[in-house]
Amino acid sequence: MSFDSVALEEFRREVSLFLDEEITPIIKEAGRKITSMFSPFDEALAFQKLLHKKKGWAGVSWPLEYGGTGWGVEQQVIFHEACRERELPFLLPNALQMVGPAIMRFGSDQQKQRFLPEILRGDAYWTQGYSEPGAGSDLVSLQCRAVRDGDDYIINGSKIWTTLAHRSNRMFMLVKTDVECKPQRGITFLLLDRTDFPGMEVRPIIGLDGCPEQCEVFFDNVRVPVSSRLGEENEGWSVAKYLLEHERGGSAGTGTLILKALEHIKSMAATLGDGFGGSLYDDGAFQARLAALYLEAKSVSAVEEKMFSLDMGGAESGPFSSLVKVVWTECLQRVCTFSVDVCGSLVLPLQLEALEVGSDVEAIGDPAMLIVMPRYLNNQACSIYGGSNEIQRQIIAKAVLSGLTLSRSKNPIGHAASPFSEDQMQLLNDSMDRFFADNYDFDFRQKTVKSELGYSQDHWRQYAEFGWLGIPFDESLDGFGGSLLDTLYLANTFGDVLALEPYLSAVVLAGGVIASGSNELIKSRVIPEIISGEAIAALAYEEKLSRGNPCYLGTTASEVADGFHLRGEKVTVLNAQQARYLVVSARTAGAIDDRNGVSLFLVDLHETPLPIVAYSMVDGHRAANIVFDVVVAKENVIAGGREGFSLLNKALNDGILYSAAESLSAIKTLLTDTVSYTTERKQFGMPLASFQTLNHKMADMFISYQQLDSLYEQTVNMYTQTGSVSSEQISLLKAQLGVSGRFVGEAAIHLHGGMGMTDELRVGHYFKRLVVNNAVFGNTDFHYKRLWREVDAVA
Ligand SMILES: Cc1cc2nc3c(=O)[nH]c(=O)nc-3n(C[C@H](O)[C@H](O)[C@H](O)COP(=O)(O)OP(=O)(O)OC[C@H]3O[C@@H](n4cnc5c(N)ncnc54)[C@H](O)[C@@H]3O)c2cc1C
């Protein structure tokens, strides 16, 4: 463990200890009774005051100079997650997360001194006056006027949907100060230090759940000093946009909040029936739906993590905060719908009194179900507030059409365990880029697909000469002493051009199994041959009934006098017909799906020819089905007992990570090709890209791509820090690879119209590569099942 991770663990303990010991029962009850994105007001403020007074922790994301915690990203994530895990109230966002950062960025010294300390203390609560009856999505068309009169502005007009205005003592608002200029100009941002100015009236609105949360606010000749202005007159739109980024980007911990909601659903399902005599919890349809939402919730956390790494106010953070908003709000809405479906008619009673914090009115039925319906009703608002999700998709589409791809799916240059210095890695990566740009155009690729061999032997020889085939292998075997992480750039580059060479099979899978095993003789014989390009190896593990599960083994190996008799059939053995060596899994003990008793054997096809049914897969890559009925000598046992499964599992996990790196590049190409095509192709006299429905489709493609990229980045970080990845993380990545690959691929074909269906255009080929990458190593449905098992195990 590095010093940093030790310090973080210590911090985690400190946060947990404080929250467990200091939080009062009433604050905890408020946390359990949250029914919208705003926690019960009094208790949320009480929580903030407690944090501030006892620890100075109210300004979670604030810098030290303004009285904040000064915490880095990891500490903020730990804090938010600890709060969500304990179901504590959210800190009310308008002051701490929205206007606070805007004052820090645009405020005068006087404004900072006046407003920031009282925000932290919880003495001031700010309501947001942006929307108006005639200006919702089209916010810049707002009409509320402020006219200068000496040292004052006089405000006339009204605001609507101002959340918690009836409980607030401050208000930030947008007013029109110049009606002659362009709509974005002529807007001014004001900070009102009262909500009871003469002429100002606040009227609560009753919401869908029967309670008041939003308000209307009317201004009739309300006089406020000019010193209330934040930023310059008529320049308030820049302030407003900066603040919206903070509103939309949310905070770390929304993913954890949604995961908590899923746990809640799981525990309710355990008490309910499926209507046919079984438990709802054991119902396959329930489990599949929960696993799919579990993946979605995890991807919310992943995109939130990525959001943290961007510079707020930069070119990327605006559209990415819109993306985060779409991802978490829609996931939360789906989870709320799921919870209503799980509970059926049991959540129909209207229970306003029992829902009040501190109430002694007993809940009708199961108290755990009290919040289900009001949460479902209130969270319909998630896709509306903060700018509706249509508007967010419009913002994302605009950025994507201007060329934003925001890809960080490169290998971690100079990661701690790498034998390469940053400069060496950069040189290596540059040489790969150059080689593929010069030698792998689409025509060459298509000719190679049709060749007998199915890949370029010349290229393979050159990969060997460049040393690429030896990157992850030990120096004692003529390798570079790197790891899988050092091959991911090559995987990205393979994905850029849909390269056909069997790197995944030979180096990552079969080579990975052999190199990690303890049979030194096999290692010293085969690995140098792989590194020099002399021999190709392939991994034969998948079977007709296994669906990618490496433990499920119908192939058996029984001990005979001169070795082991292998009997069974393997399917979709990638690159088998191009290989000299096969690494074959077979059961030597245990039940058909037991992880013990998985043994691995080396078969030299030059010595032991096998009946191979060789074929081209739909994407042009080669694979084969192989029937085994052969005796393998004892010295060709690579591993048995527990070692067999662990070697196979690690190689497959590595293969999935490698395949995700490759797929990300293919997805990016599909997205950029679709952007170019829809920008150039005209119908109805205008480019396809000018139609909103297609914009939104492209925004969704970008979102899906970023969900995969964020989970990929998270997985690579985990690998970098610990040297391995959990099977849950791998299943998340693989399931998302299937979801994103399929969605982006199908959408790209669709948006190309008839042209998308042709062999001539490259989109179809990238799509087919993703179809293959989804199907191998267990498809999305298989990994949902594995995820359910992980989730079930922590029940
Ligand atoms: C619970 C809640 C809390 C809120 N809190 C606040 C607050 O504190 N302060 C504040 O200022 N505002 C607040 N709002 C207001 C919120 O920002 C607006 O409701 C939102 O911007 C949408 O505006 P609208 O309601 O006028 O809908 P409209 O703009 O009339 O939109 C109606 C529908 O049409 C769609 N639509 C509109 N224009 C387009 C377009 N060009 N293309 C495609 N679809 C379009 C929208 O997506 C929506 O589905 C809140 C809203 C809610 C529901």
Side-chain angles (χ1 to χ4, degrees), residues 128-131 136-137 161-163 214 381 384-388 390 692:
Q128 177 186 29
Y130 275 22
S131 307
S137 301
W161 315 123
T162 38
T163 301
Q214 280 65 50
I384 302 172
Y385 57 58
S388 78
E390 280 73 26
Q692 190 189 62

Side-chain angles (χ1 to χ4, degrees), residues 112-148:
K112 289 176 189 171
Q113 280 156 20
R114 163 87 174 85
F115 293 124
L116 296 179
E118 63 169 30
I119 288 180
L120 286 177
R121 286 196 307 273
D123 292 340
Y125 188 70
W126 290 78
T127 189
Q128 177 186 29
Y130 275 22
S131 307
E132 296 180 9
S137 301
D138 184 18
L139 186 56
V140 289
S141 68
L142 61 95
Q143 298 292 316
C144 190
R145 284 295 309 270
V147 177
R148 186 82 178 252

Side-chain angles (χ1 to χ4, degrees), residues 481-790:
S483 72
L484 175 80
L485 294 173
D486 301 299
T487 69
L488 296 180
Y489 192 89
L490 191 62
N492 281 163
T493 319
F494 264 47
D496 284 336
V497 296
L498 299 184
L500 294 153
E501 286 64 46
Y503 196 90
L504 171 65
S505 286
V507 178
V508 180
L509 297 172
V513 166
I514 296 169
S516 317
S518 51
N519 187 326
E520 298 300 329
L521 274 177
I522 293 183
K523 222 187 277 187
S524 57
R525 172 179 154 206
V526 179
I527 299 294
E529 284 186 40
I530 293 176
I531 294 174
S532 67
E534 204 180 320
I536 285 167
L539 176 66
Y541 87 99
E542 184 161 356
E543 302 186 0
K544 203 170 157 192
L545 299 185
S546 74
R547 303 192 69 85
N549 180 356
C551 305
Y552 194 96
L553 263 181
T555 302
T556 56
S558 37
E559 203 162 352
V560 291
D562 43 353
F564 285 86
H565 190 169
L566 256 62
R567 265 184 287 224
E569 184 181 4
K570 299 290 178 184
V571 297
T572 330
V573 184
L574 304 176
N575 308 103
Q577 58 273 64
Q578 299 154 339
R580 167 166 181 181
Y581 296 108
L582 287 183
V583 171
V584 187
S585 62
R587 181 158 297 291
T588 42
I592 196 155
D593 59 350
D594 196 339
R595 63 173 53 192
N596 291 315
V598 175
S599 296
L600 298 167
F601 300 87
L602 184 77
V603 175
D604 182 339
L605 292 170
H606 284 189
E607 290 168 7
T608 317
L610 290 171
I612 287 183
V613 178
Y615 47 86
S616 231
M617 294 190 291
V618 290
D619 68 337
H621 283 247
R622 302 297 159 93
N625 297 348
I626 309 171
V627 173
F628 291 86
D629 188 3
V630 289
V631 172
V632 180
K634 282 208 172 96
E635 56 268 26
N636 285 339
V637 177
I638 301 169
R642 282 170 186 276
E643 195 194 4
F645 172 73
S646 92
L647 289 186
L648 183 58
N649 195 45
K650 180 181 179 316
L652 289 171
N653 286 353
D654 285 359
I656 288 173
L657 188 50
Y658 179 95
S659 172
E662 188 204 327
S663 301
L664 273 165
S665 295
I667 291 176
K668 189 165 124 190
T669 303
L670 284 167
L671 181 61
T672 47
D673 278 10
T674 305
V675 166
S676 311
Y677 187 77
T678 55
T679 309
E680 282 159 23
R681 167 94 174 148
K682 285 191 177 159
Q683 287 293 286
F684 302 98
M686 48 191 147
L688 291 177
S690 53
F691 296 109
Q692 190 189 62
T693 178
L694 302 192
N695 283 185
H696 287 196
K697 193 83 168 181
M698 284 186 271
D700 284 335
M701 290 164 79
F702 180 72
I703 290 171
S704 197
Y705 165 55
Q706 287 300 326
Q707 284 176 305
L708 179 61
D709 194 56
S710 304
L711 273 169
Y712 170 79
E713 212 168 286
Q714 202 179 55
T715 313
V716 168
N717 287 342
M718 208 180 264
Y719 204 119
T720 311
Q721 282 158 19
T722 64
S724 66
V725 188
S726 67
S727 53
E728 177 185 323
Q729 185 70 22
I730 283 294
S731 279
L732 288 168
L733 184 67
K734 184 63 174 65
Q736 185 69 51
L737 191 166
V739 171
S740 299
R742 178 165 290 172
F743 176 73
V744 177
E746 290 175 358
I749 300 285
H750 183 76
L751 266 61
H752 278 79
M755 283 307 290
M757 296 300 294
T758 62
D759 188 63
E760 187 186 320
L761 232 59
R762 66 179 193 174
V763 276
H765 299 276
Y766 283 81
F767 168 54
K768 286 189 277 184
R769 182 70 193 138
L770 292 169
V771 169
V772 168
N773 283 353
N774 177 24
V776 296
F777 309 132
N779 68 8
T780 300
D781 288 338
F782 169 79
H783 285 280
Y784 279 156
K785 271 210 163 104
R786 258 187 35 171
L787 284 173
W788 167 258
R789 283 165 176 246
E790 297 282 338

Side-chain angles (χ1 to χ4, degrees), residues 31-39 77 80-90 251-265 293 297-298 300-301 304 328-329 331-333 335-336 371 375 379 382 385:
R32 289 193 302 274
K33 287 186 172 171
I34 297 173
T35 56
S36 78
M37 284 318 288
F38 290 89
S39 304
V77 170
H80 285 300
E81 290 194 347
C83 293
R84 297 293 77 81
E85 273 157 18
R86 287 164 180 76
E87 293 181 281
L88 298 176
F90 313 114
S251 66
T254 320
T256 314
L257 165 85
I258 300 175
L259 288 170
K260 265 319 230 198
L262 285 174
E263 263 179 42
H264 186 219
I265 292 175
L293 287 168
K298 287 284 191 176
V300 169
S301 299
E304 280 182 335
W328 79 256
T329 53
C331 178
L332 181 63
Q333 286 182 334
V335 169
C336 289
I371 53 166
R375 234 184 221 188
N379 282 334
C382 294
Y385 57 58

